[in-house]
Amino acid sequence: MWEKQLASAIKAGELAKRKILEIYKTNFKVEIKKDKSPVTEADKQADKIIFKYLHEAFPTYAFLTEESQDDLKRLENDYVWIIDPLDGTCNFVDKNDEFTINIALSYKHKIVVGVIIVPIKNEIYYATDHGGAFYSCKGSVREIHVSRNSSKIRALLSRSLHSKKEDSVFKKYGEKIISKNYVGAAIKSCLIARGDAELSLGLNDKTKEWDTAAPQILIKEAGGVFLEPNGTWLKYNRKDVTNRNGYVISNKKRNIIL
């Protein structure tokens, strides 16, 4: 049902990837936004490229992106592209390769298409509502699923947003957690979706809709859960785009201990 939108999101992301990698190889400048987060020319150029391509393909759809002025008229539109043109700008600036391009489509407050591109590895993760989750690399495509582990949990921590609150939760798991690794951007969701980890926490109000939209549908279609701490799914195209309560990602809902 969402084939055209998915193909367009992937194409837009691939076009943006070229510009991002071009800038990544240079001594680019870093600016600090009002919310004290960094932004680079790669963020700005990728945003323009993705917007142009998707707007031409779907001129009636609204947009919510990290690097563009929010037009609240989107609240009146059933279809909204939710975009983070460069998720993990801190990692981009540090040149540790852990950044992604996140593109999602919301239909009536629910994510129906999600694409995550990992530029450095030339990887694409994508999912559509009730269509499954997939991983593509160098022309090879396979469907992906979360792991079945419950007793040996591999946890992923954010490089830039990790908190003491999350540490206190992890302690409740005791010996069930066999490893904890720091990973940047939406790559955490990609690893859980493909079965390489089981748990990640974001117990803060530092993320926005564009950080979680594409990851949420990828996790859901891979068989996992991407929930607010109270156990409900996040809704999208909200007036307040901040994820005030944070989120929890797991391969199984019963593996969540808060």
Side-chain angles (χ1 to χ4, degrees):
M1 178 178 179
W2 304 102
E3 290 85 358
K4 182 180 179 182
Q5 290 90 341
L6 173 64
S8 296
I10 292 174
K11 179 62 176 180
E14 287 283 89
L15 291 172
K17 181 186 74 173
R18 297 175 192 172
K19 177 57 68 174
I20 287 172
L21 290 177
E22 177 186 313
I23 296 173
Y24 193 52
K25 298 174 183 178
T26 69
N27 293 320
F28 53 83
K29 295 182 179 179
V30 181
E31 301 174 38
I32 302 299
K33 296 189 288 188
K34 291 182 180 179
D35 64 0
K36 298 184 179 180
S37 65
V39 64
T40 70
E41 192 61 24
D43 298 77
K44 298 175 183 178
Q45 290 299 320
D47 186 67
K48 292 177 181 178
I49 290 168
I50 295 169
F51 175 85
K52 182 176 185 297
Y53 188 89
L54 293 179
H55 181 61
E56 289 177 354
F58 304 94
T60 63
Y61 288 17
F63 284 79
L64 171 63
T65 86
E66 181 174 12
E67 306 307 335
S68 297
Q69 182 68 37
D70 187 8
D71 182 353
L72 291 178
K73 288 183 180 179
R74 63 179 168 78
L75 298 173
E76 302 169 8
N77 199 320
D78 285 342
Y79 297 90
V80 183
W81 288 109
I82 302 176
I83 301 161
D84 191 339
L86 181 52
D87 183 30
T89 302
C90 289
N91 301 308
F92 184 85
V93 171
D94 291 341
K95 294 200 172 184
N96 66 19
D97 298 347
E98 294 183 348
F99 52 88
T100 65
I101 299 165
N102 301 348
I103 302 174
L105 177 63
S106 169
Y107 174 64
K108 294 186 177 180
H109 305 287
K110 177 182 179 182
I111 302 303
V112 293
V113 174
V115 174
I116 300 172
I117 296 177
V118 187
I120 291 296
K121 293 188 176 182
N122 198 29
E123 296 177 331
I124 305 174
Y125 295 82
Y126 60 90
T128 57
D129 191 37
H130 298 297
F134 296 84
Y135 166 74
S136 172
C137 185
K138 299 178 181 178
S140 176
V141 180
R142 64 181 174 88
E143 190 167 5
I144 56 176
H145 303 276
V146 297
S147 80
R148 298 180 180 179
N149 294 340
S150 292
S151 59
K152 297 181 179 179
I153 295 175
R154 295 162 292 181
L156 301 178
L157 290 68
S158 172
R159 285 197 185 280
S160 57
L161 300 177
H162 182 64
S163 68
K164 292 182 179 180
K165 185 176 181 180
E166 290 158 21
D167 285 334
S168 66
V169 171
F170 282 131
K171 288 182 180 179
K172 297 179 181 179
Y173 284 82
E175 295 181 355
K176 291 185 73 173
I177 292 184
I178 61 171
S179 67
K180 289 192 287 186
N181 292 300
Y182 289 90
V183 180
I187 296 173
K188 296 184 290 296
S189 294
C190 296
L191 293 176
I192 292 174
R194 62 187 284 182
D196 292 339
E198 288 73 40
L199 180 69
S200 185
L201 307 175
L203 304 180
N204 56 64
D205 61 355
K206 304 301 181 183
T207 64
K208 306 290 196 299
E209 287 192 28
W210 47 74
D211 295 301
T212 57
Q216 178 170 301
I217 190 170
L218 181 73
I219 290 291
K220 179 179 77 72
E221 291 299 320
V225 291
F226 196 123
L227 309 169
E228 290 196 50
N230 64 7
T232 61
W233 290 91
L234 283 77
K235 291 185 178 181
Y236 292 86
N237 191 26
R238 310 181 305 260
K239 184 175 182 179
D240 177 7
V241 302
T242 299
N243 298 318
R244 299 289 174 187
N245 301 317
Y247 62 82
V248 181
I249 313 171
S250 182
N251 62 324
K252 298 179 180 181
K253 190 172 183 178
R254 69 185 184 190
N255 281 348
I256 298 173
I257 302 173
L258 295 176

